[in-house]
Structures are given as structure tokens and as C-alpha cells.
Amino acid sequence: MPKVFNWQLGRPMEYPYEERHPQWQFAFVFNINRCIGCQTCTMACKSTWTFSKGQEYMWWNNVESKPHGGYPQHWDAKLLALLEAANPGGQVWNVSQTNGDRRPYGTFEGKTIFEAVAQRVGPEGAQTVLGYLPTDAEWRHPNIHEDTATGRKGQPGDYSGSVSLPAHRVWFFHLARICNHCTYPGCLGACPRQAIYKRPEDGIVLIDQSRCRGYRKCVEGCPYKKAMYRPTTHTSEKCVGCFPRIEGKDDALSPKGAPLEARCMSACVGKIRLQGLVKIADDGAWAKDPQNPLYFLVRERQVALPLYPQFGTEPNGFYIPPRWVPRDYLIQMFGPGVEHAIEQYSCPDRELLAVLQLFRAQRHILFRFEIKPGKKVAEIPVRMPSGKEKVQEIFNDTIIGYNKLGEEVARMTIEEPTFERPKEMHVNSI
Ligand code: SF4
Ligand code: SF4
């Protein structure tokens, strides 16, 4: 197989195709600390793209309650088990050397889904990607284990056994997921029809419906299980990144054609989501652009981390990890950058605190931000997760966000302004 460079693993890796990169890449940051599991994002996607016959079980956006929930059920545990079986004891990170651009989290010394597949020759011959096809039962319950913390003892629907594992006693978190529009997609690498492609203008990964023959190799090969089969058309479908909105084709919201965030992003009630486009250099690295909010969060502050980077697809979805969850679990899920990310988030510096205000400030994609300094308004003692004490200085700075056309579209202050309603108005209001 050809070799490509994966910056999230800090090393070259095998991939079925030669390295090629888009000019811009669809990317997003989800702040897990704020997700309330309301599923508004899920329904925004459903009512836009997957409300037709044959799409009943398709949830391109889903929110699962970890550690036990998953859609399809056990998707991540099953893949981790397959990788471990292919490389027993070898799925480890070497964090002795990190380097800002090429190796920010150290080096992954284990095997990816493209490398671990060599030992697995199925009845159809050699495969290009290590994966599995979920069963029908595993696709049946998109929010299994949501709100079932106690279950009904001894009754049908008693899930209490599985939520009282000693290692997972008193915590959970909501993990919102969509297709990661990966740099090296497993779905694309697995498709024998070459029906899947990555758009050069924005890195969105699409399935050409006229080429697809429904072999479901993409369903097997996507480690995140975000390619799904539609029995009414005998083809596979997946998240399309709301590409008409990314192209600025929504006249009502963007009459001048500035790119808009996807529907699931725009609808987020918990304000956990920030989507963007990052500029990609010729060698596939993110072109240096510290005033781009996504670049700032992922590459400058490293407060947001990729989901299961060890799978090897270089996913373009990044998560601010939840502070209350055991670290071993988080490191398995987000790699060795977890401690650093949580320290950053627990006591954000002045610039980071301002950029965090941009989440859900606008539906236009923000390409650049600028901060106008304000007065100091507070000093707050903070106990860091490491046990260290710190004092956080809070300044009432103003952050301004600009769209692709350079227009100001967002203006937020650190202190939320309050307004007093004049009493002569709203006389019936209490
Ligand atoms: S998340 Fe899955 S479906 Fe989406 S691009 Fe990556 S491998 Fe393909
Ligand atoms: S809309 Fe936002 S807060 Fe609600 S479940 Fe989705 S990601 Fe979480």
C-alpha cells in the first residue's frame, strides 16, 4: 500500500491510495462539557436529509450516552477489540517526543485499520480496511442507555447490570457524532467501486449514488459507522456535510453567498458546536492560520482532540474532553493529549476564553476572529485537575467574528450584557 502522512499519529502510515489533499477542509469542534443530550442536532439532520422511506434507521447525526450507549451499539468497543486482536499489547502511544505541527500528540506505535488488516483474509480474499458489519439488532436503538441509569430491576428493559460496572460507576457523558469527513476515509478506502470521493474544494466525503452498487464495504470499513445502507435504493448513504450550505447556496440566510454551518451545528441548543473550514497546505498540513477559530482551538491551544485518532483515518471532528471522566477512558478515546486539553479548558487563558464565546454565535462560518481588550472584571481562584491552585483573571474583552467575505457577523463580550425592560412595556409580564 502507498504511504501517507498522518499528523494525528505523528508518522507515515499505509493507505490504499496516494496522498492527495483538498484546498479547504470541513472541520468542527464539539465541547462535550456543555452537551445536554437534547438531540436537537439529531432531529435537525433527520428532518433535513433522512426522512424518506428506507432511511428509518439512518441517523447521520446521533448523540450517544457514554460509556454504554452507542449507535450502532458497541461500535467503538468492537473495533478496539478487533485492533487489539490483530496487534495484542501493541496499540500504544510514544509520547517522549512531541512537535507542534507534525507530531502534536507524540507517535502512535500501534496499527491502524489500514495496517492491521493484513492478517485478515476473509472469504472474499484480502481486504483493504479492518472493519465489521453491524447486525440489524445493533442498528435498532439509536439512543440505547440514554436515561436508563437505573433500569427496571428484573423487568424487561432492565439495563442496570450494564450500567453498574465497577469501573464505570457514577459518570457518563453525551457524545455527539457525525461523519468526520476524514482525511484518509475508511469508507473510501474500502469501496471496490470507487464510488466514494473527497471534494477538492472543502474535503467533504460523498458517495456517488450512480456508481454505488450497495456492497456495503463502506459500512464495514468506516470505523465510526457513519456510512449506512438504504434497502429501498440498494445503495449506501452518509452525511453530506450540508454541502449546499457550505457552498453558500442558502439565499434566505446568506444572500451574498457566504458559507454557512451545517444544520446540526446551527441548531445546537447547548452551544457546544463550532464548525469551520481550515486551509490545507500542499503537503496536507493545516496552513498556519492562528486567527481562524478552528485552527486556534485545535492546533494553537490543543484544547480539542480527534476522536479515536488511533483508527488512522485522520478524522476532522475534534472534541473538548469532559473534565469529570476517568482519564484512562478519555485517553483511549482521544489519545494522549487529554491531560493538556483538560488543563487548558479548566482555566482558559484570556484569548481562549474569548474564542470559546464564538460557539453558536452565528450561522455563518467564521474564518477569522479579532479580540478588543476590555477592563479586568474579576479574579477567580481555580483548583486545576492536577491539584494545583491558580488565579484566573477575567477581562471583559470583545471578540469579533468575520465570515468568508470579511464581514463582521458576530460580536460577543465575556460578560453577558443584561437589559432591564422598561416597566411601561410588557405590563402583563411577571
Ligand atoms: S467518518 Fe466514516 S463515513 Fe465519514 S469520512 Fe470517515 S470513514 Fe468515511
Ligand atoms: S443539539 Fe447540541 S446540546 Fe443538544 S444534543 Fe446536540 S450537540 Fe448536544
Side-chain angles (χ1 to χ4, degrees):
M1 275 197 213
K3 289 262 185 198
V4 297
F5 190 81
N6 183 324
W7 65 263
Q8 295 176 3
L9 304 183
R11 66 169 172 85
M13 63 161 203
E14 290 173 7
Y15 186 66
Y17 296 100
E18 298 289 341
E19 190 162 344
R20 269 172 73 189
H21 297 284
Q23 291 139 14
W24 292 88
Q25 176 60 56
F26 176 106
F28 56 88
V29 170
F30 290 175
N31 181 357
I32 297 178
N33 296 276
R34 301 189 67 165
C35 180
I36 53 174
C38 64
Q39 307 280 6
T40 310
C41 48
T42 307
M43 295 316 295
C45 177
K46 186 77 173 146
S47 57
T48 308
W49 297 107
T50 61
F51 51 80
S52 299
K53 208 166 174 185
Q55 295 180 309
E56 291 82 357
Y57 82 104
M58 276 192 193
W59 300 91
W60 291 354
N61 182 108
N62 79 291
V63 184
E64 54 203 44
S65 302
K66 288 296 188 196
H68 303 295
Y71 186 69
Q73 215 180 341
H74 315 305
W75 64 274
D76 48 353
K78 279 189 141 181
L79 202 75
L80 290 166
L82 280 177
L83 284 165
E84 185 60 30
N87 185 25
Q91 297 296 93
V92 293
W93 291 85
N94 177 349
V95 293
S96 61
Q97 280 192 327
T98 55
N99 144 339
D101 272 346
R102 305 276 285 178
R103 206 183 297 136
Y105 317 126
T107 308
F108 180 60
E109 294 184 337
K111 291 189 173 171
T112 68
I113 56 169
F114 309 109
E115 295 160 338
V117 74
Q119 295 109 303
R120 234 169 98 101
V121 179
E124 307 137 274
Q127 307 289 302
T128 46
V129 182
L130 182 73
Y132 75 96
L133 265 185
T135 63
D136 286 354
E138 287 167 349
W139 286 116
R140 208 164 284 154
H141 308 287
N143 56 352
I144 193 163
H145 289 298
E146 182 183 290
D147 301 335
T148 54
T150 53
R152 292 176 294 164
K153 271 269 176 239
Q155 302 285 313
D158 174 7
Y159 301 116
S160 56
S162 63
V163 292
S164 58
L165 290 173
H168 296 157
R169 203 159 280 153
V170 288
W171 58 270
F172 78 97
F173 63 92
H174 298 300
L175 183 70
R177 300 200 301 117
I178 65 167
C179 165
N180 294 292
H181 296 280
C182 307
T183 304
Y184 304 115
C187 58
L188 187 156
C191 176
R193 290 276 303 161
Q194 301 189 342
I196 304 184
Y197 61 104
K198 196 164 167 65
R199 303 204 321 171
E201 62 269 43
D202 50 25
I204 288 176
V205 176
L206 295 179
I207 303 178
D208 180 341
Q209 294 294 297
S210 66
R211 285 199 61 76
C212 178
R213 292 288 178 274
Y215 301 148
R216 288 185 281 178
K217 282 288 164 194
C218 54
V219 183
E220 195 176 327
C222 168
Y224 303 97
K225 296 294 165 247
K226 282 296 174 191
M228 296 164 195
Y229 180 67
R230 181 170 178 180
T232 48
T233 57
H234 303 288
T235 55
S236 294
E237 295 181 1
K238 63 176 287 303
C239 159
V240 295
C242 288
F243 68 83
R245 287 171 66 102
I246 309 298
E247 290 170 3
K249 299 251 170 72
D250 188 327
D251 290 344
L253 296 175
S254 178
K256 292 192 201 159
L260 295 175
E261 293 192 348
R263 287 272 290 131
C264 59
M265 312 285 174
S266 298
C268 176
V269 174
K271 299 190 174 194
I272 84 150
R273 296 177 172 226
L274 186 68
Q275 187 215 313
L277 287 162
V278 289
K279 186 101 186 95
I280 302 296
D282 291 343
D283 64 356
W286 287 22
K288 198 161 176 58
D289 189 6
Q291 297 309 113
N292 176 308
L294 265 284
Y295 186 97
F296 178 84
L297 293 166
V298 176
R299 305 312 302 269
E300 289 282 306
R301 290 299 185 273
Q302 296 180 13
V303 69
L305 302 168
L307 180 63
Y308 290 116
Q310 67 269 42
F311 291 170
T313 64
E314 208 184 280
N316 289 299
F318 298 85
Y319 291 81
I320 303 180
R323 284 169 295 176
W324 58 89
V325 172
R327 296 302 187 259
D328 285 353
Y329 186 90
L330 292 180
I331 291 168
Q332 175 176 256
M333 187 171 262
F334 301 112
V338 164
E339 287 296 352
H340 171 83
I342 291 181
E343 288 273 315
Q344 291 273 303
Y345 186 68
S346 300
C347 186
D349 61 63
R350 191 168 171 176
E351 208 175 354
L352 177 55
L353 186 62
V355 173
L356 289 171
Q357 310 309 312
L358 291 177
F359 283 66
R360 297 279 28 84
Q362 232 315 334
R363 286 173 291 199
H364 284 225
I365 290 181
L366 303 176
F367 283 74
R368 187 168 66 82
F369 70 85
E370 188 187 344
I371 297 172
K372 293 220 183 297
K375 280 206 310 245
K376 182 153 140 185
V377 287
E379 277 186 2
I380 301 173
V382 181
R383 178 181 276 265
M384 303 295 281
S386 59
K388 256 190 343 208
E389 304 279 348
K390 262 184 145 178
V391 174
Q392 183 175 18
E393 294 181 302
I394 310 268
F395 297 84
N396 192 22
D397 295 338
T398 302
I399 183 157
I400 305 159
Y402 298 90
N403 69 7
K404 189 162 190 193
L405 307 175
E407 296 169 332
E408 177 185 323
V409 287
R411 180 176 279 260
M412 311 289 291
T413 51
I414 301 293
E415 281 199 310
E416 195 172 344
T418 52
F419 301 97
E420 204 171 309
R421 286 185 300 197
K423 67 176 183 317
E424 56 280 10
M425 288 171 67
H426 315 292
V427 281
N428 290 327
S429 155
I430 49 170

